[in-house]
Amino acid sequence: MVKKILILCAVGVVVLAWLSASLQEERCRANDISLPASQCRVLIAETRGMDADQIVDYCVGRTCDFLSFQSQNEPIRYDRESGANCVNYAKLCASMCDVALNAHGYRCKAQPVVGHVQMLGVNVNKVVSTMLSFSDRWRNFTKDHDFVKIEFTSRDRRVVYVDASLKDVFFTSMKREVALD
């Protein structure tokens, strides 16, 4: 009986931590991924009739269709999955969001940013990086995290942060919205 209560408490803490998780931006990253014209046409056609939030969710999902998480980036191919880390997930997703949203009249700028994942006020990247300090490769790999920042400049002034790599790895969406004055 005590074991069941402890398990339920542990599950509760994990759920609360996940619900409190957020993406914290530190700096912008240059995006050197531009979509081929054929991919732009397909993306615009497939997102026709969607609102901004549906387009963003769709682009996150499509990014996960094109990429498979691994520690090293491979060249992105659109006919099969390519290996990528969070950097290329953020770059591809930002490019897709930028094309689709602007094509449908949403004035915005989508760009990859570098930051960290925070849960219950704790910088998860810092904790994991410290735990993996025995290996320079893994410490450097986990020291920060890339995700997408979408700044809407008209209609509804807001910033939306999304993370395609966490969705692909943990099968759940990470999205944070901030209203602009």
Side-chain angles (χ1 to χ4, degrees), residues 162-181:
V162 293
D163 192 322
S165 63
L166 287 181
K167 179 176 176 61
D168 209 16
V169 173
F170 296 111
F171 309 107
T172 186
S173 183
M174 176 76 70
K175 190 183 220 180
R176 183 178 134 228
E177 188 171 320
V178 178
L180 297 175
D181 294 332

Side-chain angles (χ1 to χ4, degrees), residues 141-159:
F141 181 70
T142 59
K143 72 178 188 252
D144 56 28
H145 185 64
D146 287 49
F147 47 93
V148 179
K149 173 186 180 180
I150 307 163
E151 187 169 354
F152 290 86
T153 55
S154 63
R155 294 185 189 174
D156 54 345
R157 290 186 35 84
R158 63 188 172 131
V159 174

Side-chain angles (χ1 to χ4, degrees), residues 48-60:
R48 189 167 285 117
M50 294 182 184
D51 67 26
D53 290 322
Q54 291 170 323
I55 291 171
V56 170
D57 292 343
Y58 178 84
C59 291
V60 168

Side-chain angles (χ1 to χ4, degrees), residues 67-71 82-86 89 141 145 165-166 168-169:
L67 302 178
S68 175
F69 194 84
Q70 65 181 35
S71 63
S82 304
N85 61 29
C86 63
Y89 270 85
F141 181 70
H145 185 64
S165 63
L166 287 181
D168 209 16
V169 173

